[in-house]
């Protein structure tokens, strides 16, 4: 299968992106994407629309999601690709993972109020497309709107992250559960943007070993959040562990994302692209 431009990671208004699945599909196709996946956080409510829009735009499609997982005291993201979107255990697992977001959002807003920024819960809600998916990104947009910060990057440096006002520790899904929900639904689990985590070498090794032991088969080597050196580094990790490689922009918004849909370096030629393992799942 000769797919040159696959983009298997992005977000719509169904999670914390600002475009609809249809708008994303138009944008991906205009940028030459041949195989696309919409991977909203902890949610597959946009999958039917995305698949239909991909068809309209002449792109191949893989179902997708990005599951929030707690591992060794940090949040790790696991992308799932090519699963059966009707799978009941997967749907239940994602619903449970979304479950604590509302209460967490109220606590985030409480902390921001103490830091002198009132009304953040209502303010963030204006940006939310899916009431079950209030995210830190929506708070970041509100803080930019209020003029507290110049852009969402500055918000995450000054607020909402560990040690800063508005950081609320949260227990997400277990690694093994997330990998199993995806695999048992016929898909492949992929460690998202591995360079983003702040693990020691030992912790990172444990993440890859446990991920693989639970049935995980892929790693994002080329992503919008990796430098060229990080792509090289995680290509080597893929070789060492015998993992397939994925490629995705992690596009959220024309105003916020540095990496455009489909505008990414190619995967190193010796790696197995994750879509080769999913040939039978491509729509
Ligand atoms: P949440 O799932 O509510 O914890 O929000 C996580 C989301 O916040 C990520 O998926 C990103 O979209 C966004 N995010 C996290 N860290 C940063 C950052 N440093 N700069 C910009 N966006 C970030
Ligand atoms: Mn996000
Ligand atoms: Mn992520
Ligand atoms: Mn993402």
């Amino acid at each position: 299968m000769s797919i040159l431009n696959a983009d298997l990671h992005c977000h719509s208004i169904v999670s914390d992106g600002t475009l609809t699945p249809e708008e994303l599909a138009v944008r991906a196709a205009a940028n030459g994407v041949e195989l696309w996946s919409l991977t909203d956080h902890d949610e597959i409510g946009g999958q039917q629309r995305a698949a239909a829009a991909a068809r309209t735009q002449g792109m191949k499609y893989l179902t997708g999601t990005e599951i929030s997982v707690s591992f060794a005291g940090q949040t790790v993201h696991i992308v799932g690709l090519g699963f059966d979107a009707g799978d009941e255990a997967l749907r239940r697992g994602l619903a449970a993972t979304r479950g604590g977001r509302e209460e967490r959002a109220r606590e985030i807003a409480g902390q921001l109020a103490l830091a002198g920024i009132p009304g953040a819960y209502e303010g963030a809600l204006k940006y939310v497309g899916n009431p079950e998916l209030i995210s830190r990104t929506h708070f970041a947009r509100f803080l930019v709107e209020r003029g507290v910060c110049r852009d969402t990057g500055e918000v995450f440096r000054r607020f909402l992250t560990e040690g800063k006002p508005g950081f609320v520790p949260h227990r997400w899904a277990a690694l093994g559960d997330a990998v199993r929900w995806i695999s048992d639904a016929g898909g492949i689990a992929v460690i998202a943007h591995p360079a983003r985590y702040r693990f020691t070498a030992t912790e990172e090794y444990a993440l890859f070993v446990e991920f693989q032991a639970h049935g995980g088969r892929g790693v994002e080597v080329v992503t919008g959040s990796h430098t060229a050196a990080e792509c090289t580094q995680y290509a080597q990790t893929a070789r060492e562990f015998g993992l397939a490689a994925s490629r995705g922009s992690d596009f959220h918004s024309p105003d916020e994302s540095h990496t455009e849909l489909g505008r990414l370096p190619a995967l190193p030629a010796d790696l197995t692209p994750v879509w080769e393992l999913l040939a039978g799942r491509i729509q």
Side-chain angles (χ1 to χ4, degrees):
M1 197 188 351
S2 62
I3 287 169
L4 293 173
N5 195 346
D7 191 331
L8 305 180
H9 190 154
C10 69
H11 300 272
S12 76
I13 51 163
V14 174
S15 62
D16 61 347
T18 61
L19 301 184
T20 63
E22 290 80 9
E23 288 167 335
L24 287 166
V26 168
R27 201 171 177 103
N31 289 342
V33 172
E34 297 157 286
L35 173 66
W36 179 52
S37 182
L38 171 66
T39 55
D40 279 310
H41 296 285
D42 308 323
E43 174 65 275
I44 54 176
Q47 292 303 306
Q48 279 193 353
R49 286 173 65 181
R55 212 173 306 128
T56 304
Q57 297 299 323
M59 294 184 291
K60 295 186 168 73
Y61 190 76
L62 279 168
T63 53
T65 186
E66 181 177 21
I67 305 181
S68 313
V69 158
S70 294
F71 184 85
Q74 291 189 49
T75 300
V76 167
H77 286 170
I78 301 295
V79 163
L81 297 169
F83 48 79
D84 168 10
D87 186 88
E88 270 307 317
L90 172 66
R91 300 184 80 90
R92 275 198 306 274
L94 292 175
T97 307
R98 289 193 297 274
R101 280 184 179 269
E102 159 86 26
E103 193 186 331
R104 170 190 186 234
R106 293 191 186 276
E107 289 179 32
I108 290 174
Q111 281 196 24
L112 291 174
L114 290 175
I117 306 160
Y121 179 78
E122 295 73 19
L125 266 192
K126 287 188 297 182
Y127 294 94
V128 169
N130 172 0
E132 284 186 42
L133 216 115
I134 312 179
S135 142
R136 284 185 292 160
T137 314
H138 301 116
F139 282 94
R141 290 183 185 133
F142 169 68
L143 264 61
V144 172
E145 173 200 306
R146 285 283 309 275
V148 176
C149 294
R150 288 195 15 234
D151 54 41
T152 52
E154 186 188 339
V155 177
F156 281 98
R157 284 191 297 277
R158 291 178 47 200
F159 301 91
L160 311 180
T161 46
E162 197 156 0
K164 309 288 166 62
F167 178 71
V168 175
H170 195 72
R171 176 64 72 95
W172 301 106
L175 176 65
D177 287 341
V179 172
R180 267 188 302 277
W181 296 333
I182 296 161
S183 311
D184 290 354
I188 285 186
V190 173
I191 297 179
H193 42 63
R196 282 253 299 267
Y197 313 122
R198 294 288 162 256
F199 288 130
T200 63
T202 309
E203 288 168 337
E204 184 183 78
Y205 184 76
L207 169 66
F208 276 85
V209 167
E210 289 188 32
F211 170 75
Q212 200 161 34
H214 289 301
R217 296 176 69 192
V219 57
E220 267 185 354
V221 170
V222 171
T223 120
S225 36
H226 280 181
T227 63
E230 287 164 345
C231 292
T232 303
Q233 179 186 343
Y234 287 98
Q236 192 51 32
T237 307
R239 290 181 195 107
E240 280 165 20
F241 283 85
L243 293 169
S246 193
R247 178 181 190 262
S249 59
D250 207 0
F251 183 84
H252 282 71
S253 162
D255 300 327
E256 296 163 13
S257 296
H258 303 297
T259 305
E260 254 299 341
L261 283 157
R263 300 264 168 85
L264 294 157
L267 288 177
D270 65 302
L271 298 181
T272 302
V274 71
W275 53 91
E276 278 187 11
L277 306 180
L278 287 164
R281 313 289 305 180
I282 293 176
Q283 307 180 30

